[in-house]
Amino acid sequence: MEVTSPVREVLVTGNKTYHDVSHDICRHVEAKPNPKWLAAMAISLGALFIGGYALAITLWDGIGMWGLNKTVGWAWDITNFVWWVGIGHAGTLISAVLLLFRQKWRTSINRAAEAMTIFAVICALLFPLIHTGRPWLSFYWFVPIPNTWGSLWVNFHSPLLWDFFAISTYFTVSLVFWYIGLIPDFATIRDRATNKISKGIYGALSFGWDGAAKTWQRYETVSLVLAGLATPLVLSVHTIVSMDFATSVIPGWHTTIFPPYFVAGAIFSGFAMVLTLMLVTRKVYNLEDYITINHIELMNIIIMITGSIVGVAYITELFMAWYSGVQYEQYAFLNRATGPYWWAYWAMMTCNVISPQLFWFKKIRTSLWATFILSIVVNIGMWFERFVIIVTSLHRDYLPSSWAMFSPTIYDMGIYLFSFGLFFTLFFSFAKFFPVINMAEVKAVLKSSSGEIENKK
């Protein structure tokens, strides 16, 4: 007898068995790289090497190779830093928050989202390190210990230091959370391995997992504890990043709306990047039965909601600038919309406010091509948002005599390309050598969420 749920759509299609789940996900780890993967890895390595040249020149000659000037001391680099940190938010939200809320649909996408979080944070940390000018001395500058030039201590009142602690904590918890989830799947690959090298490597990575009931109980307990630790970080990390700007007195930055506004924007851009990656992974690895239209639609709904929150934040900013009666604040926002960088402002508004509203239509929300294009559009818009906040607020300050324009150099753009090359090289390596979907959690929801449920009489 066949019974289908009248309430929720199935999460795993194709009437999969436990063996099918193991085979479908492990085969990409066990098989030789396919041509599509090799082509994608070649492109990302090309970007990494081309960007690496720009990075090497910058490290050799100094950050004077960038387009910064006396007025615009923060620009392309900090824009990229905030953008990458924002992208890293969706992984923890999917893994931790949705786990605590017992949302079963997270099981097929949480592994890749967690990996994306770790790789995005690595790319984000690249920019402040380069911005120090001498990254090899950063140990002295970041850690509060006496250095060789006298007692030099970091300023604990600075939100830039808060960034260091918040992001390093976030990275550590996310890394542990990601690895703990991988252990049962490493054990599955270990047990399926046919050669000694693979069996040895995955055996070491699985930490002697034996699949006993007590082991599973501890695994579930640790997952819940880590989810509880990670959940506040979803709110705190980008809140602290926003304080880099909100604690200053620069018009356009000095506002209390930044923390919730930045958090919503981070979730917004993070989910868009997860969609971009998962749609490609779904196609390349033939995982349509595990990453279904239902998953994509639910993620699009979150993008639509967070995009609407970001739109309300934009309008609130404009209203508060007008309501404040402060001419400098009013001019900062007028300059954003009508000044020399008007194109960046309207690109931001179009991509972040208008494009997500298309997801109100179910036909667009469930269309793979529309979702893929809009996910890229959203992240373009979120990059422009950070550019608008940083550059347009700095390039025209209180003194018209110090007004200046910022134009990126090829080295600015080259290092941004390097970060993309690094990110995709790490992600493609992960997708080849690690199981891209959490087998253990998919199997846990298989009976209640598969295409067919057989009731035995």
Side-chain angles (χ1 to χ4, degrees), residues 410-431:
I410 58 170
Y411 299 101
D412 284 297
M413 293 183 277
I415 293 175
Y416 188 39
L417 181 65
F418 176 82
S419 70
F420 269 105
L422 177 62
F423 177 81
F424 284 107
T425 298
L426 291 171
F427 187 83
F428 292 145
S429 300
F430 153 76

Side-chain angles (χ1 to χ4, degrees), residues 68-85:
L68 303 177
N69 51 59
K70 289 182 180 179
T71 303
V72 186
W74 278 4
W76 198 272
D77 50 321
I78 305 299
T79 298
N80 297 334
F81 163 71
V82 179
W83 187 74
W84 279 117
V85 171

Side-chain angles (χ1 to χ4, degrees), residues 361-382:
F361 302 99
K362 189 175 179 69
K363 189 173 182 180
I364 295 176
R365 204 165 60 232
T366 54
S367 166
L368 297 180
W369 275 108
T371 297
F372 183 71
I373 292 168
L374 287 173
S375 68
I376 294 172
V377 166
V378 163
N379 265 316
I380 291 172
M382 288 307 295

Side-chain angles (χ1 to χ4, degrees), residues 113-191:
E114 290 165 15
M116 184 200 74
T117 290
I118 293 161
F119 304 149
V121 171
I122 291 171
C123 292
L125 290 174
L126 178 74
F127 291 96
L129 281 173
I130 301 170
H131 205 199
T132 62
R134 296 179 178 87
W136 51 91
L137 296 178
S138 296
F139 178 78
Y140 291 104
W141 294 340
F142 286 169
V143 181
I145 58 174
N147 68 5
T148 54
W149 296 289
S151 182
L152 178 67
W153 292 75
V154 291
N155 181 9
F156 285 97
H157 293 155
S158 170
L160 298 178
L161 186 65
W162 309 343
D163 264 357
F164 174 75
F165 288 114
I167 294 172
S168 59
T169 304
Y170 180 64
F171 177 77
T172 304
V173 172
S174 298
L175 183 63
V176 173
F177 199 13
W178 177 63
Y179 192 83
I180 290 293
L182 278 164
I183 289 175
D185 290 356
F186 283 148
T188 301
I189 299 172
R190 173 201 65 196
D191 296 340

Side-chain angles (χ1 to χ4, degrees), residues 210-249:
D210 59 4
K214 190 69 175 175
T215 309
W216 277 109
Q217 182 188 8
R218 288 170 178 161
Y219 170 81
E220 294 289 342
T221 304
V222 169
S223 295
L224 283 174
V225 170
L226 287 172
L229 289 172
T231 298
L233 294 175
V234 175
L235 303 175
S236 68
V237 173
H238 229 55
T239 295
I240 292 172
V241 170
S242 75
M243 289 178 184
D244 293 349
F245 311 102
T247 54
S248 72
V249 294

Side-chain angles (χ1 to χ4, degrees), residues 251-252 318 321 327-346 387-397 403-405:
L318 294 172
Q327 59 178 332
Y328 304 106
E329 194 76 19
Q330 291 171 352
Y331 179 76
F333 285 92
L334 182 66
N335 180 53
R336 286 182 184 180
T338 62
Y341 292 108
W342 63 268
W343 48 272
Y345 179 82
W346 291 109
F387 181 84
V388 165
I389 289 172
I390 294 164
V391 174
T392 63
S393 299
L394 289 175
H395 88 112
R396 288 184 173 177
D397 57 10
W403 288 3
M405 293 290 291

Side-chain angles (χ1 to χ4, degrees), residues 19-34 185-195 198-199 202 285 429-436 439:
H19 172 74
D20 292 334
V21 173
S22 298
H23 175 73
D24 292 344
I25 297 170
C26 288
R27 64 183 176 183
H28 309 295
V29 178
E30 297 163 345
K32 292 181 179 179
N34 63 41
D185 290 356
F186 283 148
T188 301
I189 299 172
R190 173 201 65 196
D191 296 340
R192 289 170 55 94
T194 55
N195 63 73
S198 296
K199 190 176 283 290
Y202 288 106
Y285 284 168
S429 300
F430 153 76
K432 175 64 189 77
F433 299 108
F434 290 3
V436 76
M439 286 184 283

